[in-house]
Amino acid sequence: MSKIFNTAAVCIPEKHYMVDLTERINKIKSLIEEGNYFTINRARQYGKTTILRALSRYLQKDYYVILLDFQTFGNAEFKSENTFSISFAGSFFRLLKRVSPVMTNKLAKSLSELQKNIDNRNEFFALKSLFEILSDICESVDKPIVLMIDEVDNAADNQVFLDFLAQLRAYYIDRDIQATFQSVILAGVHDIKNMKRKIRPEDEHKLNSPWNIATEFNVEMSFSKNEIIGMLLEYEADYHTGMNIEEIASLLYDYTSGYPVLVSRLCKLIDEKVSKLTDFESKNTAWTRNGFYEAVKMILSEKNTLFESLIEKLTRYSELNSMLRSMLFTGKSIVYNPDEVSIDMATMFGFIKNEHGRAEIANRIFETRLYNYYLSTAEMQSQDIYKASLQDRNQFLVNGHLNMRLILEKFAVHFNDLYGDSGEKFVEEEGRKYFLLYLRPIINGTGNYYIESRTRELRRTDVIVDYHGEQFVIEMKIWHGMEYHNRGEKQLIGYLNDYHVNKGYLISFNFNQNKQTGIHEIIIGDKTLIEVVV
């Protein structure tokens, strides 16, 4: 049976195309060898479970690995210390027996005592008793035990789990005088060091984290371009599509920033969906730049658990929603401050990343999906500029090609009519939003767009539009004098070179009383700039 690209649950090397995890595994093993306790906190579908499974297999020679999943623990298991201790002991006992430790008399005695408490449902068996037996087991085995717990989020907001962490912490601190686990790894979306905030915050003693012993986890979990190349090489060895692996890997990385499930999903769409479309009809023609853009269009229009989770966070956390909306539409640079609640939350959920000290949307897929979400609200679609776009949109296609010059020209007319009397502050905060609101109905369902992040700090926004394989670079800026304007033109020329196109577009929001509105062309070398002034 041939391998596939997998986006559902854990990836298995024998069944799925995967990046090489060896470097990550070796780095994590070093943390384990040092006896560290740590957490792997990443956003949803970031490969946490896959890395734990791979790590478990890799460590088998030197350690007994106990990998638990708190998804299998229901609410009843966390009802009290007693019920949790019995449930935890049962799972631990079963998994330890599976790895077949060398059975000494002391170990057999400890296991027998553990099993007796499980079988009898001992109502006095609580965390203290559980950890005393676990310590005896750790002292009796012939190889150190590594404890891994996946999906610790399922225990969030639970006092019993915090008490469990406190016991782990106590045994870690006293590991020189009593036996304990070689290492403990907890994986989930939420950083469990923050869980203390959710449990009876009025109690002063809860301000001390039960997990402040955790070593910092700095292992990169996103895919690099070279790792994506390695995965595509394996696929190409099976299918011989003739793809330009360097180009496809670059596109995958540019659009996803290496977010694991997004990389795999785009590959899966190209392999299984795009290759069956009438315009492609084979894997050979699907694994091209045009096939990639088709996959991007598909992923942006589909419903999946990752996007549903992201949108759910926006509706639940108003401060997160406000910050992201401001980042997208005003173009304002936001300093990355992990102590700021909305920044910390957006990072934890995978919305943003720290890019040279500034907060940026994590990847182009998320950014475009967020733009689409905000631009699709009833509030947005009630705007007059959106209604004008719906009326105009059929006139912008000529033989399947997008007439971007005409789009800018029409936008300028509508913008001046609707908002020409507004002040500079209005345009700086709203101009970008209204252009995207005008653009989206025109390209919706056929084209894609994203914001070029490199220009945010320059008080400009470059919108990159992909439409039927053609790319359009559109710069939006506020007029701040001729010197600034000329510098912006030169920078835009550089971006045109990056995107291998000879024509670029500018929208200048100008508030000089003697400005000349309208559209005109500027020739600089072999490049043509079409500028509209509003």
Side-chain angles (χ1 to χ4, degrees):
M1 183 178 177
S2 59
K3 292 184 178 182
I4 61 171
F5 292 103
N6 178 49
T7 57
V10 67
C11 289
I12 302 170
E14 295 77 22
K15 295 182 177 181
H16 305 132
Y17 292 110
M18 297 172 56
V19 303
D20 186 356
L21 300 176
T22 303
E23 185 177 353
R24 290 176 183 75
I25 295 296
N26 284 329
K27 289 180 179 178
I28 299 174
K29 186 181 180 185
S30 295
L31 293 174
I32 292 170
E33 289 171 342
E34 294 168 1
N36 291 309
Y37 284 29
F38 55 95
T39 62
I40 301 179
N41 300 117
R42 293 296 184 274
R44 287 200 62 180
Q45 295 182 279
Y46 221 97
K48 300 182 292 295
T49 301
T50 295
I51 203 76
L52 288 181
R53 296 282 182 88
L55 181 64
S56 177
R57 291 190 293 269
Y58 187 75
L59 295 174
Q60 285 177 356
K61 180 181 177 182
D62 301 314
Y63 302 96
Y64 292 127
V65 180
I66 305 300
L67 174 54
L68 299 173
D69 184 349
F70 271 6
Q71 274 191 137
T72 64
F73 282 51
N75 291 332
E77 274 76 20
F78 293 98
K79 185 178 180 180
S80 68
E81 276 196 36
N82 177 247
T83 55
F84 175 81
S85 297
I86 292 173
S87 295
F88 184 92
S91 297
F92 184 92
F93 180 84
R94 178 175 55 83
L95 292 173
L96 184 62
K97 294 279 283 186
R98 183 181 296 174
V99 297
S100 303
V102 174
M103 194 62 62
T104 62
N105 289 336
K106 188 173 183 180
L107 178 59
K109 181 180 178 181
S110 297
L111 291 177
S112 176
E113 185 178 355
L114 190 65
Q115 185 171 24
K116 181 173 63 176
N117 282 287
I118 297 167
D119 292 344
N120 294 336
R121 307 294 294 179
N122 182 358
E123 61 180 313
F124 301 106
F125 186 62
L127 288 173
K128 185 175 185 297
S129 301
L130 169 66
F131 271 85
E132 287 174 350
I133 298 176
L134 291 177
S135 180
D136 291 341
I137 291 172
C138 289
E139 186 178 20
S140 305
V141 289
D142 57 306
K143 291 190 295 188
I145 297 176
V146 174
L147 175 65
M148 303 180 190
I149 304 177
D150 199 6
E151 300 290 351
V152 292
D153 300 77
N154 276 44
D157 297 329
N158 189 280
Q159 184 63 52
V160 172
F161 178 60
L162 286 181
D163 293 340
F164 171 75
L165 291 182
Q167 288 284 345
L168 282 173
R169 177 180 181 272
Y171 272 81
Y172 174 83
I173 292 172
D174 293 339
R175 63 193 183 282
D176 59 328
I177 59 175
Q178 58 184 344
T180 188
F181 302 112
Q182 168 70 19
S183 179
V184 175
I185 307 171
L186 306 180
V189 173
H190 294 81
D191 186 343
I192 63 168
K193 294 190 293 293
N194 297 329
M195 287 185 181
K196 63 184 184 294
R197 301 172 186 166
K198 303 175 182 179
I199 305 296
R200 290 159 49 196
E202 69 278 9
D203 290 355
E204 185 177 352
H205 71 277
K206 288 302 171 188
L207 296 177
N208 292 321
S209 170
W211 197 248
N212 57 11
I213 56 170
T215 297
E216 191 171 2
F217 182 79
N218 289 321
V219 178
E220 183 57 63
M221 295 283 283
S222 60
F223 296 166
S224 69
K225 176 184 170 182
N226 286 336
E227 288 174 329
I228 297 171
I229 286 175
M231 180 172 65
L232 294 180
L233 282 170
E234 184 182 3
Y235 175 88
E236 185 66 5
D238 289 339
Y239 288 100
H240 310 288
T241 68
M243 78 168 85
N244 183 332
I245 291 178
E246 173 80 18
E247 178 184 48
I248 299 299
S250 294
L251 288 168
L252 285 164
Y253 185 79
D254 288 345
Y255 272 74
T256 67
S257 296
Y259 198 114
V261 73
L262 295 179
V263 174
S264 296
R265 184 58 184 163
L266 285 169
C267 289
K268 190 176 184 67
L269 288 170
I270 295 171
D271 179 50
E272 299 179 10
K273 302 288 187 181
V274 176
S275 63
K276 296 177 182 177
L277 294 177
T278 304
D279 291 343
F280 297 93
E281 293 185 334
S282 74
K283 295 184 187 296
N284 299 51
T285 52
W287 285 97
T288 59
R289 179 178 287 269
N290 287 346
F292 172 81
Y293 289 143
E294 189 66 31
V296 170
K297 186 173 67 176
M298 288 180 177
I299 199 172
L300 288 173
S301 62
E302 72 179 8
K303 291 192 69 173
N304 58 47
T305 55
L306 176 61
F307 293 147
E308 288 174 350
S309 175
L310 293 178
I311 299 305
E312 185 269 335
K313 300 297 187 297
L314 296 180
T315 58
R316 182 187 299 183
Y317 302 106
S318 59
E319 66 272 33
L320 174 66
N321 187 35
S322 297
M323 184 196 71
L324 292 173
R325 188 169 179 141
S326 176
M327 286 180 65
L328 290 170
F329 289 119
T330 69
K332 290 180 180 178
S333 180
I334 297 179
V335 175
Y336 188 90
N337 178 7
D339 295 324
E340 205 280 314
V341 173
S342 58
I343 294 286
D344 183 46
M345 188 182 302
T347 305
M348 179 174 64
F349 293 142
F351 282 108
I352 67 171
K353 59 184 176 181
N354 181 1
E355 190 71 17
H356 306 299
R358 291 183 301 108
E360 287 191 358
I361 303 298
N363 56 70
R364 291 179 186 172
I365 297 295
F366 280 6
E367 183 170 60
T368 306
R369 186 79 181 209
L370 287 170
Y371 272 118
N372 290 346
Y373 169 73
Y374 287 121
L375 294 172
S376 298
T377 62
E379 172 197 354
M380 287 287 196
Q381 294 189 8
S382 66
Q383 300 289 335
D384 290 334
I385 196 77
Y386 181 83
K387 296 175 183 177
S389 176
L390 293 176
Q391 294 175 354
D392 293 345
R393 60 182 176 179
N394 293 330
Q395 61 188 287
F396 299 123
L397 279 180
V398 179
N399 298 324
H401 295 277
L402 201 61
N403 188 338
M404 188 58 71
R405 177 187 176 119
L406 184 59
I407 291 175
L408 266 62
E409 190 172 1
K410 288 287 188 178
F411 169 74
V413 171
H414 292 303
F415 191 89
N416 283 321
D417 288 344
L418 295 170
Y419 315 110
D421 296 331
S422 302
E424 181 173 355
K425 179 176 175 56
F426 166 83
V427 173
E428 186 161 3
E429 295 185 352
E430 305 289 338
R432 296 173 176 89
K433 177 175 70 177
Y434 285 124
F435 175 69
L436 294 174
L437 195 57
Y438 186 77
L439 175 68
R440 186 171 181 244
I442 298 168
I443 66 170
N444 189 37
T446 304
N448 308 306
Y449 64 94
Y450 63 90
I451 306 302
E452 176 50 73
S453 61
R454 289 176 292 179
T455 63
R456 287 191 187 279
E457 72 277 14
L458 303 175
R459 299 183 73 191
R460 300 162 41 226
T461 298
D462 284 342
V463 180
I464 314 300
V465 177
D466 297 316
Y467 194 91
H468 278 320
E470 288 186 274
Q471 288 195 307
F472 303 87
V473 181
I474 309 152
E475 177 189 322
M476 289 178 283
K477 61 184 178 64
I478 308 295
W479 178 268
H480 292 292
M482 184 57 71
E483 181 181 350
Y484 171 82
H485 179 77
N486 292 339
R487 186 168 67 248
E489 288 178 348
K490 291 178 181 178
Q491 289 166 337
L492 179 57
I493 294 297
Y495 292 131
L496 296 181
N497 288 328
D498 291 344
Y499 287 97
H500 307 292
V501 293
N502 292 322
K503 185 179 293 185
Y505 303 85
L506 296 90
I507 302 175
S508 294
F509 298 102
N510 192 326
F511 294 90
N512 291 347
Q513 291 184 351
N514 59 351
K515 68 180 178 182
Q516 292 184 344
T517 59
I519 193 164
H520 61 278
E521 291 189 3
I522 305 168
I523 306 297
I524 302 178
D526 63 341
K527 298 292 189 282
T528 300
L529 304 184
I530 298 175
E531 180 174 13
V532 61
V533 179
V534 298

